[in-house]
Every structure is written in C-alpha cells, then in structure tokens.
Amino acid sequence: MMDIPVWLAIIVGLLSLIGAVLTLLGCLGLARFDSFYERIHAPTLGTSFGSIAVLLASILYFSVSGQRFAAHEIIILIFVSVTTPVTMMLLARAALYRDRAEGNAIVPRSAGDALENAAAGDDIPQPSSPQ
Amino acid sequence: MSSDILHWSLLISQVLLALAMVAAATRMIRGPRAQDRILGLDAFYVAAMLMLVLFGIRIGSSVYFEVALVIGILGFVGTVALAKFLMRGEVIE
Amino acid sequence: MSKILPYPLLSLFLLVMWLLLQQSVGLGHILLGALIAILAGRAMAALQPERPRIRKIGKIVELIWLVSLDILRSNIAVARLVIAGKRRDTTSGFLVLPLELRDRSALAVLACIITATPGSAWLEYDAARGSVLIHVLDLVDEQAWVDIIKNTYERLLLEIFQ
C-alpha cells in the first residue's frame, strides 16, 4: 500500500465503506423480501450508488497516489450502469411471463389480457405456441 | 497512520461485501423459483466485482480491474442468457 | 462523412472506450481504435436502426441531474425499508401508467431510468395501448409516483426527443 495523505485515506475508506454497506443492504433485501417483484428492487442498491462509491474510492486512491490514471473504473461504472437495467427488465419480463402462464393471482391481468398478448406479438409468446 | 486507516476500512468493507455475497448465495440456494435464483446470481457477481476492486486498492495493482471487468461482462451475458431461457424454453425445476 | 462514419457519436464513444481500456494515448492505439470504431460504425449502419432525433441537448444535463438526485433519494428510502425488514407492512404494488411518449429511444431511456431507480421497476410496455406496467416497492402515495414519472421524466423526454 502506498503512503498517502491522511485526508485521502479517510475519504477513500469512507467511500468504500458506504459502497459496501449499500451493497450489503441490497443483498439483505434480496434475502429478506417476500415476493419476487419486491426482490427485484433490492440489487439495484448495490449496482447504483454502491458501485459508484466503491469505484470513486478507487479512482481517488489511484489518481492522487499518482500510480496511474483511473480509466478502468470509469469503464466498469459505465458498463454496470448500462447493463443493470437491461438484466432487471429481462428478468422481470421472464417472471411476468412465467407467472401469467401459470395463472398466478399476484400478477395483474387487465381486462383485455388476451388482446394485450396478441397485440404484443412475439414479445409475449403464448404458452401453447410450438417452439 | 494513513495506511492503517485505509487497511482497516478496506478490511471492514470487504467483510461486509463477503456478507452480501452470502446473502445473495442464500437467495440462490433457497429459490423458491428459477427467477429468484438468477436474481441472486446477478447480485452475487456484482458484489464479487466490487470485492475485486477493493482488492485492487489494497494491493495497488491494476490486474484486479481487468478481472473485475471480465466478471462484469460474463455476469451480464450469463444473466441475460438465463432470463431469455426462462422466457422461451422449458425449465425443469 | 456519412459514408465512412454513419454514426460519428458511436464511433467516437468506441474510440474513447478503446483508449480507456488500453490506458494509453499512443499513436498505435489511436489508429487501431479508430479502425475498430469505423468498422463498428459501418456494421451498425448495416443493421439500419431507427435514428433518434435529439432536439434539445441542454435538457439532457438537467435530466441526468434529476435522475442522479432521484436515484440517491430512492437508495436511501429502499435502504430504510430493508432495515425495517419484517416489521413493516408490505406496501408494494403494481402501477399501470398511460404514456404519451412514442419514440422508441425515448421509451428505452425512460425504462432504464425507472429500473435503475431502486424503488421502481419497469415490467412491461404495451405498444398497442401506449401503457406501461411498473412495480413500485413503496406504493403508499400512488399519485406521487404518477406525478414524478409523468410530469418530470416524461415531460423532459418529450422535450428532448420529440
């Protein structure tokens, strides 16, 4: 570990702690919430400000201690913030599709549900459609 | 002094992230359904990625960031593939 | 210009990403990155995606600022809910929202914003009716959520894209 000024050590330490606590809370929420649709909210804690805090700590540490320009963290940050919504949406749609195919009551079925499915076309395949 | 502060705060953060990984792993094991397990996997790899970034600060090496980036990319592709599989294929539970 | 670089912004972004990954601005890396960026831009043109029309660039900054603030606020709110744990009553619920937004890029941005905010998740968009199904973790005040999404985000996105 390099020798760095005390104020920087405090900031870096605090940021990494904040990030870790947020990620931990997200994962705890994932373990504790009751239904899938509640659980899908929890991991975004870790992927939004959890990872921002940790990566900011890393950027500060490496930039000020002068070892290298913090480029990889920026890439990770862009990547995480772009990919998380995509995975969450895909997972939510998969869950919605499965729950609807099984006829679970917790998922809202609007009045024209059959019409909705037909209108959405290949977005929501019918359960009986041949693969 | 400053390396002490850094050492302890990084250690505590890593322990917290390890706990987060345990929590995500329990969701992966307990299920109850396939989508819950995939969600657990997703949270698990994000926590692992942040853990590697903290290792990088601790060691002061940039190699860990390459590993973190690879984990991020593979995790994303894996989650998307699994979610797509749930929508189109039959899953035996 | 349009023949070699059909998507200049995308190509520039790819070049910057390449240089960040290599962590250097040497001539060799710039040349290699530029080659990749140009080829990727032409590959993108072969896909013929819909071109988003961005009207007001200045509003994008305002949008990013608002989204960051909202995500921060939502982070704190969800963290509180997790700590409260079993003691709280479940207040989560589904919300069906009619949207005026039709531009596909704008809808994609809105979906990403809503999903990236910890308290809410975009589930499904019904193109025929222009309505969207959203799941909200803390659905105490339904009208407040409708207000935030419709009056802030949708209004801004309408100004930016249409």
Side-chain angles (χ1 to χ4, degrees), chain A residues 8-119:
Chain A
L8 180 69
I10 291 174
I11 294 176
V12 168
L14 265 183
L15 278 175
S16 67
L17 276 176
I18 290 171
V21 166
L22 276 177
T23 312
L24 176 62
L25 281 177
C27 288
L28 276 183
L30 182 71
R32 281 172 95 172
F33 285 156
D34 292 325
S35 78
F36 174 80
Y37 297 100
E38 285 179 27
R39 279 177 216 135
I40 206 161
H41 297 291
T44 16
L45 270 181
T47 55
S48 58
F49 270 78
S51 42
I52 287 178
V54 169
L55 293 169
L56 206 60
S58 169
I59 289 175
L60 274 178
Y61 176 75
F62 282 109
S63 305
V64 177
S65 68
Q67 294 179 29
R68 61 182 178 83
F69 175 65
H72 280 172
E73 287 90 334
I74 299 173
I75 292 185
I76 294 178
L77 196 58
I78 294 173
F79 192 77
V80 167
S81 52
V82 168
T83 55
T84 312
V86 177
T87 52
M88 290 298 155
M89 264 181 276
L90 266 175
L91 259 182
R93 294 223 342 226
L96 210 59
Y97 164 63
R98 296 187 91 204
D99 279 337
R100 279 190 181 148
E102 288 165 16
N104 285 353
I106 52 163
V107 182
R109 274 180 180 279
S110 49
D113 194 46
L115 189 142
E116 245 181 294
N117 279 354

Side-chain angles (χ1 to χ4, degrees), chain B:
Chain B
M1 171 67 182
S2 69
S3 71
D4 268 355
I5 296 173
L6 211 52
H7 175 79
W8 283 106
S9 54
L10 285 182
L11 191 67
I12 295 170
S13 312
Q14 282 182 319
V15 170
L16 292 178
L17 279 181
L19 286 177
M21 285 166 80
V22 170
T26 42
R27 182 48 71 197
M28 239 178 350
I29 293 164
R30 270 193 11 216
R33 309 204 55 205
Q35 55 261 41
D36 296 295
R37 294 176 210 272
I38 299 176
L39 200 58
L41 178 69
D42 194 73
F44 187 84
Y45 86 72
V46 171
M49 199 179 70
L50 294 182
M51 180 83 113
L52 281 170
V53 171
L54 289 184
F55 265 118
I57 302 180
R58 178 187 282 272
I59 311 289
S61 148
S62 116
V63 177
Y64 282 96
F65 292 93
E66 324 249 339
V67 182
L69 202 56
V70 169
I71 286 186
I73 293 170
L74 285 185
F76 167 64
V77 173
T79 315
V80 167
L82 285 169
K84 268 310 218 196
F85 183 64
L86 284 193
M87 297 244 295
R88 302 285 184 202
E90 288 290 319
V91 178
I92 303 159
E93 282 188 344

Side-chain angles (χ1 to χ4, degrees), chain A residues 37-38 41 45 93 116 124, chain C residues 75 92 118 123-124 126 135:
Chain A
Y37 297 100
E38 285 179 27
H41 297 291
L45 270 181
R93 294 223 342 226
E116 245 181 294
I124 306 166
Chain C
N75 261 293
S92 66
L123 296 185
E124 189 181 47
D126 182 357
H135 188 266

Side-chain angles (χ1 to χ4, degrees), chain C:
Chain C
M1 184 68 184
S2 64
K3 199 76 176 165
I4 305 168
L5 278 177
Y7 293 92
L9 266 180
L10 174 80
S11 297
L12 184 69
F13 180 73
L14 280 174
L15 177 60
V16 170
M17 282 291 261
W18 179 263
L19 293 178
L20 281 177
L21 258 178
Q22 301 295 336
Q23 304 210 7
S24 94
V25 280
L27 183 63
H29 284 308
I30 291 178
L31 282 178
L32 195 54
L35 184 70
I36 288 171
I38 289 170
L39 286 181
R42 295 186 66 165
M44 186 76 182
L47 290 175
Q48 298 179 326
E50 230 176 84
R51 234 171 226 282
R53 300 182 313 272
I54 296 175
R55 293 282 163 81
K56 289 180 184 163
I57 304 222
K59 288 276 178 186
I60 293 176
V61 180
E62 191 188 336
L63 183 69
I64 291 174
W65 171 245
L66 272 177
V67 169
S68 316
L69 271 187
D70 247 20
I71 289 179
L72 186 62
R73 212 179 299 134
S74 180
N75 261 293
I76 296 167
V78 173
R80 275 214 190 113
L81 282 181
V82 173
I83 293 169
K86 294 270 183 229
R87 277 165 295 168
R88 76 192 174 89
D89 307 320
T90 43
T91 49
S92 66
F94 294 92
L95 193 66
V96 179
L97 213 72
L99 290 180
E100 291 155 41
L101 216 54
R102 285 294 178 275
D103 188 87
R104 285 167 75 181
S105 331
L107 280 170
V109 173
L110 185 62
C112 282
I113 290 172
I114 288 176
T115 312
T117 312
S120 55
W122 175 285
L123 296 185
E124 189 181 47
Y125 175 68
D126 182 357
R129 299 170 178 199
S131 69
V132 63
L133 181 64
I134 293 171
H135 188 266
V136 179
L137 186 57
D138 195 14
L139 195 66
V140 181
D141 189 1
E142 194 170 313
Q143 199 54 44
W145 281 97
V146 176
D147 272 351
I148 290 176
I149 293 167
K150 284 213 65 100
N151 295 344
T152 324
Y153 292 143
E154 196 187 10
R155 186 182 52 78
L156 265 175
L157 284 170
L158 276 174
E159 278 178 39
I160 291 171
F161 280 97
Q162 285 172 359

